[in-house]
Structure formats: structure tokens, C-alpha cells
Amino acid sequence: MPRLSELMRESADKRAVGALPRDPVLAGLTLDSRQVRPGFLFAALAGTHADGARFVADAVKRGAVAILAAPESALPPLGPGIAVVRDPNPRRRIALMAAAFAGLQPATIAAVTGTNGKSSTVHFVRHLWSALGLRAASVGTLGIASPGFTREAGLTTPDPVQLHADLATLAREGVTHLAIEASSHGLDQHRLDGLKLSAAAFTNLTHEHLDYHPTMEAYFAAKARLFEELLPPGGTAVVNADSPRAEALAQVAARRGLRFWTYGRKGRELRLLDDGPTAVGQHLAIEVLGTRHEVELPLVGGFQASNALAALGLVVATGGDAARAVAALATLCGAPGRLQLVARHESGAPVYVDYAHKPEALETVLATLRPFAKGKLVVVFGCGGDRDRGKRPVMGEIATRLADLTLVTDDNPRSESPEAIRAEICRGIPAERTNWAEVREGRRAAIAQGLAALRSSDDLLLIAGKGHETGQTIAGVTHPFDDAEVARALVRSGA
């Protein structure tokens, strides 16, 4: 077990403060006082809802021998045996200490940030690496997926102590290549600091998380931190050339000595030359590092083609053989809850589940599915509680404009009133539109109504908003609920 001074030395930077009057041996680190065990360091961080300083006394009672806090944090009186580390950025410090304490990481790590596409892209990166014979894993919204270690979905970016412990476990199990989602919250809160990155990708930036970030510029700055601070010089930035933010990231890359690759229709290293729908996906013509390839991609939607190119860029940038990686695109499968075909109605109509819970994402997925619905396009959706309220009426307008029938229901109301959330969605629907209904009886009833509206194989149902989630949070209580399983069960029952 390391001494505190060893972790401080290995996580040293110019922002470190003070000397160590005591130098205990540390048995572990935690940000949660309830997880403190004898010999632990407790990081007393100020959060959105609570200040960790309030729990220092409890942590000491449980056996904490060291406390990490900001200089201004008001700590209770502590005995002479407790070491106190003051740091102006304690979130960054605990992440660096967690990395040093865990010790091991997969040799090659690629991170993906952006509003949309993170989960699919890391899923595709892991698949492509595996197709090349590499032992690969992914970490993100969908949980941890690896050959020998899995965990169900949790936070997109786990807390740094848990994250680095997981990375050490993966490395010990022989994982050499890791793809990880980098959320704006995780980046802003320094949860990914200490990762030894080889490459990083940026997918896009759209309206989201303005309940946390004060402005879109602040939101972008959090995303850009992946390239400004975490990706080391010589690492490769793989950026969506079709995003208006590409030029700003190009400037960051030039300033920091990063290799800069772009992908997309305007891409330089990975260019989408042409695409066309097929019965099972789409045919792509792409140019990779100057060589043209024809690809049968078994996924629908232009955004999935974009995600696949981002993944291809990360794989090639980290040493993967380009020709073999391109060939492996034909074997990709969609990430759970990402435009996932989950059932077919008895009429033959397909039923899709997608995680689209933001205006741009909902608009994109409806526009993607429109050509596949020669008959009626039906959408079931709601909006989450305790999140950005501004998107609710916007999504109501989008859904009723692009779908033939919109069923407004509940997503995860959390602590908010479901009725109030639905009302805000419905306020965005123009008065002249009558192609919608509010379903007050709950999400299962809404899905049943959506299925009942399917009359032929030319119709299509999209259940949007929850994607891979297996629970629905109402009044602070999470109940089992999986859109895909509910849809399959209703289809089996003849709904």
C-alpha cells in the first residue's frame, strides 16, 4: 500500500499546495464517506447538492487517516493523526491520485466526446479492435463491456476512483485497448484526469445539458477540455469535419501539438464520398487516407455512418490496419438502445427503440426513419424530469412535424410532476396540428397505443428517449422498465 506522499508525488503538478506534516499509508481512496474504511483518504468535495466537508467527521469515525479538500473548505477540528491535503482543484487531485493508486491502465485508450454518438462510437471502436484480434473493452453510458468483465449501465463517466479501479481490473485481465465515453460533466469535474490517452474523438455539439452548463460556449469548453488538457502532445484528435466546431478544435490541436484528423463529408483523412440505403442498412463509398473503399454498413441512418467513421478513425489512428478495419465495418451491430430494431408487429411493421432524448437527436432519428416508413410513422416519447426544461416544447414541435402520429407520455419524471412535463411538451405543438395525443396512463399504455396504430408492414413505430435503460424513475423511485422488453411482450400478447 502506498504512502500519501507517494501518491502526491506521482500526481504532482504546479497546482499542488502545502507540505505534508503526516504521511500515512493509504488503504484506499473514496469520495463517499459511507465507503470509508480504516486507512482511507476521504476527498471532501463540494458538490451540487452537498458539501463533502459536512461528512468529514463521519469519515474520520469510519477510519479515514487523510482528508483532501479545497483551501477554503471549512473542516471540523481533526485529531493530530489525520493528514489534511489542501488543493485548489481537489477534483483533479483525487483523479490523479486514483490513477497513481490503481497503477494499471490498458496500453491504448481512446476517448469520445460530443453531444450525440458517444455510446455508439465507443461500441463500434471496441468491435473493430476486437475484429482485428485485439483484446478490447468499452466504458460509458452502456456500462463496461469486455471479454471477461462487464458492469451494467451507470454514469456515462464514473467517479475517478471507481474508474481507475475498473481500468486496473481490465488491464490485469489482459485488455490492451479501451474506448471510453467522455461526458461534459465528467470532463468538467475532472473525472477522466489521469487517463493516458492515445487518441480522442469529437462527434458534434447540440443543445443539451444547459441545466448544468450556463451557456453553449461553456458546454463546448467542457468538451474541448479533452483536447486542451487531457490528450497529450502527439496524440490524435479525430474530429467531425461537418461540425461547426471543427475549426476551433483544429486551432487547439495546432497549439498543443496534436495530430489532427477529420472525418465526414468534408473529412480529409476519412471522407464519406457517397451513401445509399439498402434493405439492411446502407452502402458507403469512403476514402481512408487516400484510398477508396466500398462498404456495406448494416446500420440505418447518416448519423450511424458518421459514428462508424469516427470509430474507424480512432482505430486506424491507434495503429489498426486500415484495410482490415474498413472490412470490419460490414460486421458492425448497433449499440443497445441506439436505433435498435427490437420487434416486428404482427402486421410486419418494425418497432425501433432509440435513446433520442434531445431535440436534435429526435429530429435526426425521425428523419432517418422517414424513408423506411412508406406508410405511417408513429413515435412514442416523453421528456425527463429535473433536466433542461427548454427542450420540452421544442421536442413536441419536432415530433408532430416529422411523425404521422405522436404519443406524448412519460420518460423519467424523477422528482417532477409527470403531468407538468407532458403539459410543457404539448405547449410546443402548433394548434393546427391534430396528429398527436397525450397518454396519461403511463409509458406502457403509450407503447401499446403505438403498436395498435400499426396497420401494415409499411408502418413503423419509434419508441424514443430511454433507449438501453432498464428502469423508470418516478417520484424518486426507480421501477423496472425496459422499452425493448415492454414492446416485445406487448407484441407477443397481440397488442
Side-chain angles (χ1 to χ4, degrees), residues 35-80:
Q35 295 180 6
V36 170
R37 301 291 182 270
F40 269 44
L41 175 144
F42 171 57
L45 307 182
T48 305
H49 304 293
D51 186 346
R54 292 171 44 200
F55 305 100
V56 166
D58 179 60
V60 171
K61 285 181 183 178
R62 292 172 183 266
V65 295
I67 305 297
L68 169 65
E72 67 276 10
S73 234
L75 302 182
L78 298 172

Side-chain angles (χ1 to χ4, degrees), residues 22-105:
R22 285 164 293 282
D23 190 18
V25 172
L26 296 182
L29 317 170
T30 185
L31 287 72
D32 186 341
S33 65
R34 296 167 297 183
Q35 295 180 6
V36 170
R37 301 291 182 270
F40 269 44
L41 175 144
F42 171 57
L45 307 182
T48 305
H49 304 293
D51 186 346
R54 292 171 44 200
F55 305 100
V56 166
D58 179 60
V60 171
K61 285 181 183 178
R62 292 172 183 266
V65 295
I67 305 297
L68 169 65
E72 67 276 10
S73 234
L75 302 182
L78 298 172
I82 307 299
V84 177
V85 177
R86 298 279 190 172
D87 193 292
N89 192 340
R91 289 188 178 278
R92 184 171 189 273
R93 172 64 64 182
I94 188 62
L96 297 176
M97 293 178 77
F101 187 89
L104 296 175
Q105 298 181 21

